[in-house]
Amino acid sequence: MPQRVEVNGDNVSKPVKRMRWATQRATGTSGLRKRMSIVKRFHMRHSSTEEKRKSAGSDPTASDSSSQEDKNEGRTIYFNLPLPEEAKDEEGHIKQAYARNKIRTAKYTPLSFLPKNLWLQFHNIANIYFLFIAILCIFSIFGVSNPGLNAVPLIVILVITGIKDGIEDWRRTVLDTELNNSPIHRLVDWHNVNSSEDNISLWRQFKKACTRGIVSTYRAYKGFRQKRRDRGKDYAERALDRPNSAQSHPTIRTSMHSERTSFHSSRADATEDNIQMASVPSSNLQQNGHLQAQSADEADRPKTAFSFQEETENAPSARRTHEHSPEKEYGSIVDNSKQTPEKACFKKDFWKNVQVGDFVRIYNEEQIPADMVILSTSDPDGACYVETKNLDGETNLKVRQALHAGRKCRHANDCEKAEFVIESEGPQPNLYQYSGVARWKQRDSKNPEAPRKEMAEALSINNVLLRGCNLKNTEWVLGVVIYTGLESKIMLNSGITPSKRARIARELNWNVIYNFTILFFMCLVSGIIQGVTWSKGSNSEKEFEFGSIGGNPPLDGFITFWSAVILFQNLVPISLYISLEIVRTAQAFFIYSDTFMYYERLDYPCTPKSWNISDDLGQVEYIFSDKTGTLTQNVMEFKKATINGLPYGEAYTEAQAGMQRRQGINVEEEGARAREQIAKDRITMLENLRKIHNNPYLRDDELTFVAPDFVADLEGRSGEEQKTANEHFMIALALCHTVITERTPGDPPKIEFKAQSPDEAALVATARDCGFTVLGRSKDDIMLNIMGEDRSYRVLNTLEFNSSRKRMSAIIRMPEGNIKLFCKGADSMIYSRLKRGIQSELRKTTAEHLEMFAREGLRTLCVAERDLSEEEYQEWNKDHDIAAQALQDRDQKLEEVSDRIEQELTLVGGTAIEDRLQDGVPDTIALLGDAGIKLWVLTGDKVETAINIGFSCNLLSNDMDLIVLKFEDNDTETARTELDKNLAIFGLTGSDAELAAARLNHEPPDPTHAVVIDGDSLRLVLSDELRQKFLLLCKQCKSVLCCRVSPAQKAAVVQLVKTGLAVMALSIGDGANDVAMIQEADVGVGIAGEEGRQAVMSSDYAIGQFRFLQRLVLVHGRWSYRRLGECIANFFYKNIVWTFALFWYQIYNNFDITYLFDYSYILLVNLVFTSLAVILQGILDQDVSDKVSLAVPQLYRRGIERKEWTQRKFWLYMFDGIYQSAICFFMGYLVFAPATFATKDGRGINDMSRVGVYVACPTIAVINLYILLNTYRWDWLMVLIVVLSPLLIWSWTGIYSSFTVSFQFYRSAAEVYGQLSFWVLALLTVIICLLPRFSIKFIQKNYFPRDVDIIREQVRQGKFKYLDEYEAYVPPSADISTASSDLMKPVKPSASRQSITESERPIYPPSETATTRTRMGRKQDGSDGTQSTVPEYDYPPPPLRRPSIERVRSSFERARASMDKLRPSFEGSNDFTSAALLTRLESSYSNTSSPITPTLSRRRQDISDDFR
């Protein structure tokens, strides 16, 4: 970009490019340092946590070291220029190797599937163990009669898992193939010096040849079959099959506009710039330079307003008052004097063939194939829409700009003539940041022989289209590719997704190890006894045995050891893992299918994304929640404003209702009265607006700013000064923004705004409703319709908002030719930049208004302006252009330059926007609190707003002491003293012993205290020396609110509580700033809200509304945890019963590892005979219904205390199994001990295989009945499975023994089943085995009942029948305590939990600003705890003509009187309130114009530091 700027005789600068930089979400340098320092302090954070950060992609630190190196090195891409020698290798090819654009997300290929899948499956230790067993069985020395049969279970599991993996990977392969072969229009028949076709390896050539051969063969076969089918058809039938040629043209280019004209373009120009699309199928659709492929209903589609479109004589361009401002010459990369072959043309190609340096043309609705820089678009201003839903989940459209120097590059011939170089940073994953520079040598058109001039233009993310985005509402875009394939940003962000393992799964490894240990000792005992027995020599074995297998006792013992491993292999259950997968998959399906968690407005069900952690939902003790968009709707409505010291706007907010409730006012009556008055004022305002100007863009039902007095002042009833101030305020809102305008034709027309922030859209929409309508943009101009008059404003620069700046500015050349800077942002940021010594009274008044707005739960912003001289602006703009072209640290340099001009501001006014609570939030929070779950709110909002929302949503109550942690001097010792003082309230010191005791105590704290802390104070208490004290203090408090916190601090708080207290943590949020804490928590829940879907994409569970969390956690979470805990315990039990029954038999054969059971029993016991019942128990068991689970949330506390699965429970089931195994074996043994039995034909049945039937069949019956006994819900399916499982072994015995292939087992069933002793033995065995368990359960449930036992009894008594009248997800509560004595009382619904509409819901924010420990009680005499009586709230008829102002101001005075009572004690001395703080503030920059220094940066830091 040229640096020289001329000024004409009128001293008016030429318009310059509207520069934006990609810091919408990237933290500034100071924020980055904070983030890194916080992360370093948490040395306990696992590496997997860092991987999570990498996958988020929204943070500059997310790239790994290699990516950072690439970024530092950068890349240079040449277009129609020869490569310099240093860029070539010895063979003359380019040195730089770029990634292919072909991607593969699939794990396998047809060739690698079998070996790779087996390799991955054998990473499971259980599979390795059973493979080892199968290998042992091959050797006959270990006594296995059928080695092949032994491998069947392992083969079945490997095959099933392989089929599942193959199906999943096949889907990925199909999607990869479809994506890689997607069509794109790429420039061909020209030389791209950035790639070399000769560099293809032999292996790739071989694969490509094989692929071509396979595809050709398949197509030939398919064509041959098609010909055979067509052969039997007549001509008419074949004609019907052929596509109509008139309909075969692709319609993908059809968009919202086929003709784009602006104030600076005409049809003649468009004809001159007709796009050359050689070899493009739809090129014949062009006529007279315009694409005519329009749909019939195009006139009804929304119109975009990049270039304001108007064909009447009243177009704003016709009355621009600064037409003496000449267009700036940016130069062009196209050298029209260059001679070219003119062979290049755009042809359809595949995505996989796109290379770095290619020219690519994208049409409307097409997806971007690679990261590319925009050269030109169909819009004359070089703008285009893009949807980034595939990248960050955001559905709102974003605007991207073409290079100024590339806008003449529109045809294929222009691409051949374009000579330029792009110096780009290396690939890095930040979706919101890119730095590059386009350089070229500009030829002087007037003097072609003169030396060329070096030109440059900066590139930012706003000039780049990222792979995966979709082009919207734009005919076409032409660009050049800079990143391909795995180097594109979307692929860099699709890195390793951190996997989460459920707590039970982690603990299960120890139980498997215990079983391995038991197995080892069983085998060791067998080996030792067998070896010792053979070593004696003086026994009967010599007479009956052929000799020892090993030949000597040690070797005999060694062989026996491994034979015992084979025999007792079922002690380590191979089917446990696959059974748990089945159970968790079914639970995930139930969660997805729950219609009570379906959000109809978004058509979004609860979507499990991690299927293996459903049981963790049943153990959550802490929930960390974002506020905006999570607890609130994130649908912003402009409610109030303060302009020139006068407040405007009527609203009855939730926080205001809560404030009145605390003062003893009947909020139902007061709310109805206020809403009635607001409705009347609304009608009045609309009538007055129509009288002033019949605004065609005003929709009555969309008006949110109700202020009749504002309209009256627009008419001048309060003087010309106030009228001018109101107009100027609305013009500032209409000019200072980055919204995208969409116009829908009609009568009247409709204008809507698309913005990245809902707040910004609300501000511009209110300006539109008041008659200050943004019509659109044309190049560097923005068009407004002000009270029916069209005006044009030149936008010189736009300094966009980001999280570190907390403000945005627009530098505008006004119609009169003067330059103004408009700035809007957080009140603290604006006040710190106001001009010193002026507007003192206005600043104080505005600050008080903003504080009152915040106390009503509204989000506040300040608006300011500054007049700039021509010289001052030009001097600053040079520095801005230099910073914009920097490749290194561009964002930091731009922020420093921007901060320099955003000073000496003049206050214009303030705004207040309401973000209402979501439906059901107070009920949900109360319900979660009753369940024993602690909820922490981590938000970026200011303290007052967060406190008010806390009271609104039942997080805070009137009887709580608010402990506000704010350390003025940011000193560690001050923080330590304050923490010690507050810990002393609870009798704590912060010691290690207290932390150990806190880990064991899961009881919810008493609702007497709550902690409120801000971001800077949080940074101090998260240090290594204070974090334990802070954690113990928060453990004693019912609620914790962390305000003004960054995404990194959110994750740090979650990590502190999760690891410090060893609890299960759940994080819930809806925005990209919540991704860090969502991935840090054990369970992450994303809300599909207004801020996009990035939180959803990074979460484990996705829901539509916060209220669905109660059902997800209290119903499905509790069910899943209880089911899995019981399922796993029964699984280990059944294996111990079966294995020890075999072990007891070894006592009577000297542990020679003889098989008591037929070998088919051993193989099928886990696969068929016992697994069905325990799997069904894990899927369908239910202690109480979903409605009862929500009506009695205290039942959830058993999960918090982790009592459903403990090591104690594991060992109790193991010992029970050992006891029952002894009964099962010795009952059979004792039957045959005194005498033997014979069949009716005299054949004895006392051989080993028959005795095995006597033992095995009752054992299977005992196992299944025991599982049924431990199951709460006995429905028909569960009973059927339990009955069928014993029948299966009896049936298998009968069928298998009927064939001679069973050898010694032949006819065993017929002989054993004919004996009465078998059936008597089976009955007695079942009774004796289950009697102890039944007796213990009887005593426990009758004399030591648990909570659930009492509730189940009350359900059977009909005490919960009232729940049938309510929806399952919001039932009324039952007044039940967790104590058994309380649970014995009848259950009655509580009237306080009845469902009411959100607008009528009582809210309880404080009427005073919170102090260090403010008691919020309300006394018997009707006062609010401040020794002041309740003021009267009857509104008398206003005598003056400005009723709304009087109401607002009287309300303000009453609230201020209440607040003033506390100020002498705390606020007056500590400047806690924003009004007191902002009033005393003076700018730190009034006398400086130099760039930011570290000292100045600290001085001007967000005043909210002091406020917090």
Side-chain angles (χ1 to χ4, degrees), residues 465-761:
L465 296 180
L466 300 182
R467 177 185 176 121
C469 298
N470 290 82
L471 189 65
K472 296 286 186 180
N473 297 0
T474 308
E475 293 287 350
W476 55 266
V477 165
L478 191 150
V480 291
V481 177
I482 53 175
Y483 302 128
T484 52
L486 298 177
E487 293 179 346
S488 60
K489 289 184 180 291
I490 189 174
M491 298 307 298
L492 291 175
N493 277 279
S494 62
I496 300 175
T497 301
S499 60
K500 296 180 180 179
R501 295 188 65 201
R503 183 189 295 273
I504 287 183
R506 297 194 297 267
E507 296 176 352
L508 193 61
N509 290 335
W510 286 106
N511 301 114
V512 174
I513 291 175
Y514 297 152
N515 277 25
F516 266 116
T517 305
I518 295 173
L519 175 65
F520 172 78
F521 282 107
M522 291 171 64
C523 298
L524 183 65
V525 168
S526 300
I528 292 175
I529 294 178
Q530 175 69 2
V532 171
T533 301
W534 275 102
S535 65
K536 291 181 179 179
S538 57
N539 50 42
S540 61
E541 285 186 351
K542 290 186 176 181
E543 305 297 332
F544 296 98
E545 299 287 348
F546 291 101
S548 68
I549 297 177
N552 58 74
L555 189 56
D556 285 340
F558 178 79
I559 295 173
T560 302
F561 177 88
W562 293 111
S563 299
V565 170
I566 298 173
L567 177 62
F568 304 140
Q569 60 180 287
N570 285 328
L571 193 61
V572 180
I574 186 173
S575 56
L576 172 62
Y577 295 97
I578 194 169
S579 298
L580 293 183
E581 287 296 322
I582 295 172
V583 170
R584 288 192 170 109
T585 300
Q587 290 171 350
F589 175 75
F590 292 153
I591 292 174
Y592 178 79
S593 304
D594 192 338
T595 57
F596 290 109
M597 292 192 293
Y598 171 74
Y599 190 35
E600 186 174 3
R601 191 174 74 85
L602 294 181
D603 188 26
Y604 201 85
C606 178
T607 306
K609 296 178 176 292
S610 297
W611 291 14
N612 60 338
I613 60 172
S614 58
D615 44 298
D616 280 355
L617 285 170
Q619 306 169 67
V620 173
E621 185 171 354
Y622 282 84
I623 292 180
F624 300 89
S625 174
D626 179 40
K627 185 189 75 67
T628 304
T630 304
L631 300 179
T632 60
Q633 298 177 14
N634 200 23
V635 177
M636 307 302 176
E637 294 182 352
F638 190 110
K639 292 296 184 182
K640 295 189 177 184
T642 172
I643 306 172
N644 196 28
L646 290 181
Y648 295 102
E650 289 292 338
Y652 191 74
T653 65
E654 296 164 327
Q656 187 177 357
M659 187 183 301
Q660 293 178 353
R661 169 66 66 88
R662 293 186 59 252
Q663 294 173 340
I665 299 174
N666 188 327
V667 295
E668 285 77 13
E669 295 180 2
E670 190 64 36
R673 183 187 309 173
R675 282 187 287 272
E676 181 181 358
Q677 183 63 47
I678 291 173
K680 295 178 180 178
D681 291 342
R682 180 190 185 89
I683 296 173
T684 303
M685 180 175 179
L686 287 171
E687 292 175 352
N688 294 338
L689 280 174
R690 297 292 187 191
K691 291 177 182 178
I692 297 177
H693 163 55
N694 188 16
N695 186 359
Y697 307 109
L698 173 62
R699 293 289 190 275
D700 294 357
D701 56 337
E702 295 180 2
L703 179 68
T704 62
F705 180 49
V706 179
D709 47 310
F710 173 82
V711 183
D713 287 348
L714 272 181
E715 295 179 292
R717 297 184 185 178
S718 293
E720 193 64 27
E721 179 184 356
Q722 188 64 29
K723 174 184 178 181
T724 304
N726 287 3
E727 291 179 349
H728 198 64
F729 179 81
M730 286 297 169
I731 290 176
L733 295 184
L735 292 176
C736 187
H737 60 81
T738 58
V739 302
I740 299 171
T741 308
E742 283 191 355
R743 305 178 69 215
T744 302
D747 187 20
K750 184 177 182 181
I751 287 187
E752 293 181 342
F753 304 105
K754 304 293 184 182
Q756 296 187 23
S757 167
D759 301 71
E760 194 170 48

Side-chain angles (χ1 to χ4, degrees), residues 25 85 367 437 476 523 656 674 746 958 968 1216 1220 1313 1419 1471:
R25 293 185 183 173
E85 292 300 323
Q367 200 172 103
V437 176
W476 55 266
C523 298
Q656 187 177 357
N958 299 337
E968 298 285 349
D1216 202 358
Q1220 294 185 27
Y1313 294 168
K1419 297 189 176 182
D1471 285 336

Side-chain angles (χ1 to χ4, degrees), residues 1165-1336:
V1165 62
N1166 272 330
L1167 286 178
V1168 178
F1169 300 150
T1170 60
S1171 291
L1172 294 178
V1174 72
I1175 290 175
L1176 200 63
Q1177 180 190 48
I1179 294 176
L1180 297 178
D1181 192 22
Q1182 189 179 114
D1183 51 0
V1184 293
S1185 67
D1186 54 347
K1187 294 183 179 181
V1188 176
S1189 296
L1190 293 175
V1192 193
Q1194 293 86 353
L1195 294 174
Y1196 187 83
R1197 296 187 183 181
R1198 187 168 176 83
I1200 294 176
E1201 297 169 359
R1202 304 172 199 165
K1203 291 184 177 180
E1204 296 293 350
W1205 172 250
T1206 62
Q1207 295 304 311
R1208 178 176 177 270
K1209 181 176 183 177
F1210 167 76
W1211 287 112
L1212 286 176
Y1213 275 70
M1214 293 287 284
F1215 287 127
D1216 202 358
I1218 293 174
Y1219 158 76
Q1220 294 185 27
S1221 68
I1223 297 298
C1224 289
F1225 171 76
F1226 286 106
M1227 286 290 290
Y1229 171 79
L1230 293 175
V1231 167
F1232 288 90
T1236 61
F1237 300 93
T1239 62
K1240 60 182 179 179
D1241 55 2
R1243 298 181 60 184
I1245 57 173
N1246 58 347
D1247 62 292
M1248 182 179 61
S1249 59
R1250 272 69 177 173
V1251 173
V1253 176
Y1254 268 84
V1255 175
C1257 290
T1259 301
I1260 297 299
V1262 166
I1263 290 173
N1264 283 278
L1265 289 174
Y1266 185 84
I1267 295 172
L1268 182 64
L1269 196 62
N1270 291 324
T1271 302
Y1272 280 106
R1273 182 173 177 175
W1274 288 18
D1275 54 16
W1276 67 269
L1277 184 58
M1278 186 68 189
V1279 174
L1280 179 64
I1281 293 298
V1282 169
V1283 172
L1284 286 180
S1285 295
L1287 292 179
L1288 282 175
I1289 189 172
W1290 288 331
S1291 302
W1292 169 257
T1293 303
I1295 296 172
Y1296 181 59
S1297 63
S1298 300
F1299 298 93
T1300 56
V1301 70
S1302 58
F1303 299 106
Q1304 294 182 3
F1305 200 55
Y1306 182 62
R1307 292 190 58 80
S1308 294
E1311 296 170 359
V1312 172
Y1313 294 168
Q1315 302 296 320
L1316 179 62
S1317 58
F1318 170 78
W1319 302 104
V1320 174
L1321 175 69
L1323 180 61
L1324 291 176
T1325 301
V1326 169
I1327 293 175
I1328 297 175
C1329 284
L1330 299 182
L1331 186 60
R1333 165 65 64 165
F1334 180 82
S1335 302
I1336 292 174

